[in-house]
Amino acid sequence: MKSVSQPFEAATVPTAAQNVNSFNAPFDWRMSVIGLCVFVGYYLGAKVGFALTFKPYPVSVLWPPNSILVAALLLTPPRIWWFILLAAFPAHCAAQIQSHVPPLMIVCWFVSNSSEAVIGAGLTRYLVRGPIQLTSLRYAGIFCLCVVFAGPFLSSFLDAAFVRWNAWGQGSYWDLIRIRFFSNALAALIVAPLIITWATKGILTVRTAGRARLLEACLILLGLLAIGFAVLYKFGPGADSALLFLTLPFLLWAAARFGALGTSTALSIVGFLAIWSGSHGHGPFSGGTAEQNTLSIQIFLIVLSIPMLFLAAVIEERATGETERRESESRFRIVADSAPVLIWMAGVDKLCTFFNKPWLKFTGRSLEQEMGNGWAEGVHPDDLQRCLKIYTEAFDARKAFVMQYRLRRFDGEYCWISDQGVARYDSNGNFAGYIGSCVDVTDLIKKDEALREFEERVVLAAEATHHGVWELDTVTNELWMSDKARALFQFDPEACLDMAIVQRRVHPDDRALRESAIKQAIETEGDYALEYRVLLPDGNLRWMSGRGRCVAGQHGKGKRLIGVSVDITPQKEAQDLFRLAAEGSHLGVWHWDEVAKTLTWDGATRDMFGVSADAQITIDTFYSALHPDDAERVKQTWRQALELRLPYQIEFRTQKTDGTIRWVDARGRGYCDEAGKPLWMSGVLFDITDRKVAELQALQNRDELSHLSRVAAMGELTASIAHELNQPLSGITSNAAAGQRFIDRGKVDLRELHDLLGDIVADGHRAGDVIRGIQSMVKKDVSAHRQINLNDIVISVVRMVKPSAMLHTCELGTFLDPDLPMVEGDPVQLQQVLLNLIINAFDAMSDTPLSRRKVVIATERDADGVTRVSVRDYGVGIPEQVRERLFEQFFTTKVKGLGMGLSIVRSIVESHGGTIAAGNADGGGARFRFTFPARAKTSAV
C-alpha cells in the first residue's frame, strides 16, 4: 500500500515479449514509444491508486504504478531497464509534486519503488532465463515468489525507513512495512499478470479468435460483471460471506477456457470492482473502519488470486502439453510415414499401437490387422518364437534389442528384416513402451552368404593353385594358416603359430625387407607384395611370393592382415634360364621399378645403347640414347603401357655416343596393383638393324620395279600417245598454213590472225600436257602426297587410254560419285593403279565379241566414309584356281606377262591405307575393287 501522496511508478508496455531481443540501437522509435507508454501508464496508474483509497485512510488498497513498472521490466531486455526507470521518473515526480511531497521524499520513494521492480524482475529473469509467460506451474510459482513476495517484501523495509527518516506519514516502522507489503503484493497479483498476459499474447488471441470464442468471452465478462456488481456492490456488510464466492464459477470458467489471459482479466475485474465498491461505502467490505476494510479486501483478493493463477497455469500447461503432444505425434507420424524404413510403436502392455505407411505398404495389410499382436502373423513360423522371446526379454528389462527375422511381403515372399527397438519414456521419465525401426536386409544377407561362399571358393581355388592362405590378428598376434600354407612353410597342422615363428623361416637376408613391408601395410591399412626366400627344415631354399592386405575390424576394432603365399621357385629357375638364353641369343632384358624409380639393364641391352657395364643406369640414360626423331613417340608409348597395363611393341632408333645409329624392336608390359597404381614394367629388346637395312633395299628395288612397270605401260600406250600428240600438232600446222595464206594475199585480217595464233597456243598447251603426263609417269622421283579427288584421277586416266580403247574396239564407261570425299595420296601412283587395271581389262577381252567389249570404271562412297573404286570388264573372268594367287609376285596368266603388275597395284593400294580385291562379276567378266579411307595418311612406296 502507498500513501495518497506516494509517487507514480510504472507504465504499460505495448510491445510483445517476443520482440524484446530486437532492440539493436540505443535509441530508436520503439524505445521512444516504450518510454512514452511507461510515463503515461505510471501516471494513470497513480490516478487509479488514488481513486481506490479508503477515506480518510491514507494508504491505497493496491498501488498499480509499481506493478506497471515491474511488468515493463519483465517485458523488455535488461539492457534497456535504465531507460524504463528513467521514463518513469518524470511521472513519479509529477504525481508527488501534485501531492505536495518534499523533493527529498520524492527521490526516496522513487528509489524504494524502483528497488521493488528491479528486485522482482531481476530475480524472475535470473530464474526463468528470459521473458516470463504465465503458462506453466513453474513460471507461476517463480512469479509469485519473486514479483508478488520477494520484491514487495524487501522493498517495504526500505520504503518504511524512508518514511520514518523523512517524518512523512503516520504509524510505526513495522506497521508501515505491513501496510506497504500487502498493498504492493496485491497490485503485483492483480495488475502485473494482466499487463504481461495481454502484452505477450492477448492482442494476438483476440485477432485470431473465432466468433464463438469471442462470444464466449463476452458471456464470461457480462456474467462476471453482473454477479460482481450484485455481490460486491449491492450486498451489504451483513450479507453472508459465502456469497463472495459466487464469482468463483466465472473465474473457473475463464481459467478453464482462456488460461492465464482469462484468469488475469477476470481477477482484475473482481479486484477493481471490490475495491471501488468498498472505497465508496458499498458492498461487504464497507462495514468496518477504513483500515479494517482495506485489510479485508487485500486478504480476500490475495487468497482468491494466488490459487486462481496457479490453477490457470496448470490448465494452460496441460493444454499446451496436450497440444504439443498432438503436434509432436502428428510430426512423428508425418516423418515416420515419409521415412524409408519400417517403424512401429508398442505400449506398456507390449501390444503394438502404431505402424507407419512403409510397413503397411510392405506387408500389404491394414493398420487394424497389424495392431496388437497382429503383426506376428506375417513373421515366418521358423522365426516367430525366437523373435517373440527376444522382444519379451528386452521389453521386461527395458533394454534395446536388435533381431533379424523373416517377414512376409505383400506378394507372399518372405524377406529378411533387421528390427531394432529401444524403450521410450515420456517427459516425466515414465516408461511409455517401445519404438522400433526395421530395414529390409535381404540383399545384404544374400551378399553375406555370397561372400562366405566366395571366401570358401577362394580358399579352395587357392589350394587348387598351390596358394597358401593366412590371416593375422594384429591385436592378439594370432596367425591362422590354411593347410596349404602350413605345407609351404613345413609347419605341423596342429601347431600354434604367430608372425615371429614364420619370420624365423625367412632367409636372414630377406627378413628385414619382409618385416618392413608387413609393418607398413598394417600402419597404413594398405597392401604389400614382395618376393623372398625361406629356409625350410629339410634344408631346401625356396622362393616365396607374398601378397597381403590390412583391413579394419568391425566397428573399427582391431586390424587383420590377410594374405596369400605361393612357391615361385620354378618361376625363379625359369627366369634364370631365360636370362641365360637371352644372353646367348643377344636378347636384351630390362626392368623398370615405378615405385623406386630404378631402371635395370642386362649386358645385351647396355651394348645396344652403347653403355658400359659399370655405368649407372637411370631413366635419363635411356632417354638420352634415343634418336631425337623417335624420343617423344617412345616416351608416350612407354607411359601408356605402364598406366594402361597393356603390352606394347615399338620399333625405334638408338644413337650411341660415337654417332652410330641402331634399330631396336622393343616389347614389354606394365603391371599395377589392385587399385590401378603402376608398380613396374619389364620387357625385351631385339637389334633389328640388319632387317631394317634389308627392308630399305627391298623398298628401293620395289620403286625401281614400279618405275619399269610405268615405262612398260607407256610402251603399250604408244599408239595412244601418238594419237594424243598428233591432234594438237596437226592443228598447229593447219593454223600456221592458213596464217601464211592470209599474209600472201596481202589482205591481213588482224582479228582472224589473232584467233589463228590463239588456236596454235592452245594446241601447243595440249601437246605440252601430254608430254608432261608422260614424264610424270616415267620419271623415278616420287611426287609429294596431297589431297586428291579420285574422280579427277579416273578422268585423267580415261583420257589417256581412250585412243588405246579405240584400237581395242572397246567402249569406256564411267559412273562417278559427285560427293566423293578427298583422300591423301600420290596421284602418279594412283594413275598407275588404274592404268594397269584398265590395260589388263583390255587384254582380258581379246576373245570377247566386239559388241560386248566394255570397261566400266566406277567410284562410290559408303556410310563409313570409305571410298571405293572398281574396274569391271566383260571378258572371260577369273578362274577359281588362280584367284588366291592373283596378286602374288611373278604369277601371271598372260603368255608374255611378267607377273608384277597386280603385285605392284596391291603394294600401291596398301601403302595408301587401302585394300584391293578381285572377283567375277554377275553377267560375266571380272571386277577389281580397291578402297581408301577418307583422308588416309600414306607412306611413300
Side-chain angles (χ1 to χ4, degrees), residues 4 53-59 289-290:
V4 293
T53 301
F54 281 80
K55 304 299 181 179
Y57 193 62
V59 179
T289 64

Side-chain angles (χ1 to χ4, degrees), residues 525-777:
E525 295 189 9
D527 302 342
Y528 84 91
L530 78 159
E531 297 176 354
Y532 56 93
R533 293 163 293 176
V534 295
L535 290 172
L536 300 177
D538 60 5
N540 289 327
L541 175 68
R542 308 293 292 179
W543 275 93
M544 294 289 177
S545 175
R547 298 181 64 88
R549 170 177 293 177
C550 183
V551 297
Q554 292 184 350
H555 309 295
K557 297 180 179 179
K559 297 178 181 179
R560 296 178 300 142
L561 187 65
I562 303 174
V564 295
S565 300
V566 60
D567 189 340
I568 58 171
T569 304
Q571 291 90 321
K572 284 292 183 179
E573 294 174 350
Q575 288 177 4
D576 293 338
L577 293 176
F578 173 76
R579 186 174 293 105
L580 293 174
E583 293 175 356
S585 61
H586 305 289
L587 181 70
V589 180
W590 58 269
H591 178 82
W592 166 255
D593 191 327
E594 177 69 11
V595 179
K597 303 296 182 183
T598 57
L599 181 63
T600 305
W601 284 352
D602 67 348
T605 305
R606 290 174 177 266
D607 293 339
M608 292 182 194
F609 286 89
V611 179
S612 61
D614 57 348
Q616 184 179 2
I617 304 299
T618 65
I619 191 65
D620 293 331
T621 307
F622 171 62
Y623 288 156
S624 61
L626 296 174
H627 192 280
D629 296 340
D630 298 340
E632 190 60 34
R633 178 170 57 90
V634 174
K635 292 178 183 179
Q636 183 178 0
T637 302
W638 206 40
R639 295 308 305 177
Q640 287 180 349
L642 183 60
E643 294 172 358
L644 301 179
R645 294 172 289 177
L646 296 175
Y648 79 92
Q649 188 272 332
I650 186 174
E651 296 177 357
F652 57 90
R653 290 165 290 179
T654 65
Q655 189 171 5
K656 297 184 178 180
T657 55
D658 59 0
T660 304
I661 296 177
R662 306 292 294 177
W663 275 94
V664 174
D665 184 334
R667 305 183 184 193
R669 181 169 187 169
Y671 296 87
C672 301
D673 59 15
E674 296 180 358
K677 180 182 179 181
L679 295 177
W680 51 275
M681 186 164 62
S682 60
V684 295
L685 301 171
F686 305 89
D687 189 332
I688 59 171
T689 305
D690 295 339
R691 193 192 78 191
K692 281 294 183 179
V693 172
E695 288 179 353
L696 181 60
Q697 185 63 42
L699 181 61
Q700 293 175 351
N701 294 338
R702 188 178 64 184
D703 291 341
E704 290 290 341
L705 185 60
S706 177
H707 174 252
L708 293 176
S709 176
R710 292 197 298 271
V711 172
M714 290 297 100
E716 295 187 24
L717 296 177
T718 302
S720 299
I721 296 171
H723 177 74
E724 287 290 323
L725 288 174
N726 185 53
Q727 285 185 346
L729 292 176
S730 298
I732 292 172
T733 303
S734 299
N735 289 328
Q740 287 178 344
R741 288 194 297 273
F742 287 153
I743 295 173
D744 293 340
R745 286 201 302 267
K747 289 184 178 181
V748 179
D749 188 340
L750 294 179
R751 175 176 291 278
E752 292 184 358
L753 184 61
H754 182 272
D755 293 339
L756 289 175
L757 292 176
D759 292 340
I760 291 172
V761 171
D763 290 335
H765 288 164
R766 288 180 58 196
D769 291 340
V770 174
I771 294 172
R772 281 191 294 273
I774 296 172
Q775 288 177 341
S776 66
M777 286 290 292

Side-chain angles (χ1 to χ4, degrees), residues 15-23 30 75 77 79:
T15 55
Q18 291 85 341
N19 298 326
V20 296
N21 295 320
S22 62
F23 298 94
R30 286 170 295 183
L75 293 171
R79 63 175 178 272

Side-chain angles (χ1 to χ4, degrees), residues 23 42 118 189 212 318 383 469 604 777:
F23 298 94
Y42 193 96
V118 172
L189 279 171
R318 282 181 166 273
D383 302 335
V469 183
M777 286 290 292

Side-chain angles (χ1 to χ4, degrees), residues 123 197 227 233 235 254 292 318 358 632 654 679 747 770 822:
L123 289 175
T197 55
I227 295 298
Y233 185 81
F235 293 168
Q292 293 174 345
R318 282 181 166 273
E632 190 60 34
T654 65
L679 295 177
K747 289 184 178 181
V770 174
M822 303 293 286

Side-chain angles (χ1 to χ4, degrees), residues 278-575:
S279 63
H280 288 78
H282 299 281
F285 302 106
S286 60
T289 64
E291 183 178 0
Q292 293 174 345
N293 294 336
T294 299
L295 185 60
S296 299
I297 293 177
Q298 289 173 341
I299 294 175
F300 167 73
L301 292 178
I302 290 173
V303 172
L304 180 65
S305 299
I306 291 177
M308 290 304 304
L309 282 179
F310 278 101
L311 177 62
V314 171
I315 292 174
E316 190 151 346
E317 185 175 21
R318 282 181 166 273
T320 302
E322 184 66 21
T323 301
E324 291 177 352
R325 186 187 65 80
R326 288 195 299 267
E327 292 177 352
S328 177
E329 290 182 356
S330 177
R331 288 193 297 269
F332 169 77
R333 292 179 183 273
I334 293 174
V335 172
D337 289 338
S338 60
V341 296
L342 316 181
I343 298 177
W344 57 268
M345 281 199 307
V348 295
D349 56 357
K350 302 178 184 178
L351 299 180
C352 290
T353 59
F354 170 77
F355 294 91
N356 68 341
K357 288 183 179 179
W359 176 290
L360 302 177
K361 183 178 180 181
F362 181 88
T363 59
R365 291 160 57 91
S366 65
L367 180 62
E368 291 74 15
Q369 291 175 313
E370 298 291 275
M371 293 287 279
N373 286 326
W375 62 275
E377 298 176 3
V379 179
H380 194 281
D382 297 342
D383 302 335
L384 181 58
Q385 295 304 319
R386 175 179 56 84
C387 177
L388 292 177
K389 180 181 178 182
I390 295 174
Y391 174 70
T392 303
E393 292 177 354
F395 201 101
D396 294 337
R398 306 293 191 261
K399 293 182 179 180
F401 67 86
V402 177
M403 60 182 177
Q404 291 183 351
Y405 54 90
R406 286 164 289 182
L407 184 65
R408 187 171 59 242
R409 201 167 55 188
F410 63 90
D411 57 1
E413 182 179 353
Y414 283 95
C415 298
W416 278 99
I417 298 297
S418 177
D419 194 341
Q420 182 175 0
V422 294
R424 59 189 180 95
Y425 299 87
D426 59 19
S427 58
N428 296 323
N430 299 320
F431 176 69
Y434 263 68
I435 184 171
S437 62
C438 305
V439 179
D440 187 347
V441 294
T442 304
D443 294 338
L444 182 61
I445 289 179
K446 290 182 179 179
K447 289 180 180 179
D448 289 341
E449 293 176 353
L451 180 60
R452 286 194 295 270
E453 294 176 358
F454 175 74
E455 290 176 348
E456 294 175 358
R457 289 195 297 268
V458 167
V459 174
L460 292 176
E463 299 285 346
T465 57
H466 306 289
H467 282 66
V469 183
W470 53 268
E471 180 177 333
L472 172 67
D473 189 328
T474 61
V475 178
T476 62
N477 200 33
E478 294 180 356
L479 179 65
W480 171 85
M481 277 188 164
S482 66
D483 294 340
K484 182 61 181 178
R486 289 175 177 267
L488 289 176
F489 288 88
Q490 294 185 359
F491 287 124
D492 292 336
E494 303 299 330
C496 295
L497 302 176
D498 56 28
M499 190 56 68
I501 296 176
V502 177
Q503 190 73 355
R504 287 197 290 268
R505 294 283 169 95
V506 180
H507 192 281
D509 295 341
D510 298 340
R511 289 175 183 173
L513 177 63
R514 181 176 183 272
E515 184 177 1
S516 175
I518 292 177
K519 182 178 179 181
Q520 183 178 6
I522 294 174
E523 292 177 350
T524 61
E525 295 189 9
D527 302 342
Y528 84 91
L530 78 159
E531 297 176 354
Y532 56 93
R533 293 163 293 176
V534 295
L535 290 172
L536 300 177
D538 60 5
N540 289 327
L541 175 68
R542 308 293 292 179
W543 275 93
M544 294 289 177
S545 175
R547 298 181 64 88
R549 170 177 293 177
C550 183
V551 297
Q554 292 184 350
H555 309 295
K557 297 180 179 179
K559 297 178 181 179
R560 296 178 300 142
L561 187 65
I562 303 174
V564 295
S565 300
V566 60
D567 189 340
I568 58 171
T569 304
Q571 291 90 321
K572 284 292 183 179
E573 294 174 350
Q575 288 177 4

